[in-house]
Amino acid sequence: MSYSIIISKIFSKFAMFNWGVTILSFIMAIVLYPQLPKEVPDHINAFGAADSYGGKLTVFILPFALAMIGLLVSSKWIDNRYADLTIQNTLTKTLMLVIMILLWYGAGIFFLTYYQLTK
């Protein structure tokens, strides 16, 4: 099986999974919002330490980013732009997979941090 076919199959499954993560992150943001302090971390470095702070509304940035990525990958934009199983299609889908995984990781770190702030 070629790399392009594998990426296309993984991409479609991850695109669906992204909607679940997006909905969960919106629910977490709504539930945690009233309990958060006025100022929350809006950037966490690679070591997990907060190095920038913003208002409570920043808790919704990551869910909106996940929703935008979800709209982009579910719109078939990549397949309409580049023919299926071409190098451009495969590289774009690979890049989008990396972006989704990084956003999921970031969402996990941020919501763990926000949860700890509510205690």
Side-chain angles (χ1 to χ4, degrees), residues 6-22 25 62-78 89-110:
I6 294 169
I7 286 298
S8 287
K9 287 184 178 187
I10 291 171
F11 185 78
S12 63
K13 289 181 183 1
F14 275 40
M16 295 298 281
F17 182 74
N18 185 65
W19 285 114
V21 173
T22 302
S25 68
L62 215 45
F64 276 110
L66 287 166
M68 292 300 108
I69 290 293
L71 290 173
L72 186 64
V73 300
S74 67
S75 69
K76 300 290 184 193
W77 173 80
I78 296 169
N89 183 293
T90 303
L91 288 176
T92 305
K93 285 181 179 179
T94 302
L95 178 63
M96 293 303 288
L97 284 170
V98 170
I99 291 170
M100 278 190 284
I101 291 168
L102 288 173
L103 282 173
W104 298 341
Y105 175 75
I109 296 294
F110 269 99

Side-chain angles (χ1 to χ4, degrees), residues 47-89:
F47 303 106
D51 57 7
S52 178
Y53 293 87
K56 281 172 57 166
L57 283 176
T58 59
V59 74
F60 292 102
I61 291 174
L62 215 45
F64 276 110
L66 287 166
M68 292 300 108
I69 290 293
L71 290 173
L72 186 64
V73 300
S74 67
S75 69
K76 300 290 184 193
W77 173 80
I78 296 169
D79 290 331
N80 291 336
R81 177 124 173 124
Y82 306 111
D84 199 20
L85 305 179
T86 61
I87 190 71
Q88 296 91 347
N89 183 293

Side-chain angles (χ1 to χ4, degrees), residues 18 23 26 30 35 37-40 42 44 63 74 80 88 91-92 94 111 117 119:
N18 185 65
I23 291 167
F26 270 113
I30 291 167
Q35 303 166 11
K38 280 185 158 187
E39 201 171 72
V40 296
D42 63 2
I44 296 175
S74 67
N80 291 336
Q88 296 91 347
L91 288 176
T92 305
T94 302
F111 283 109
L117 287 174
K119 288 185 173 189

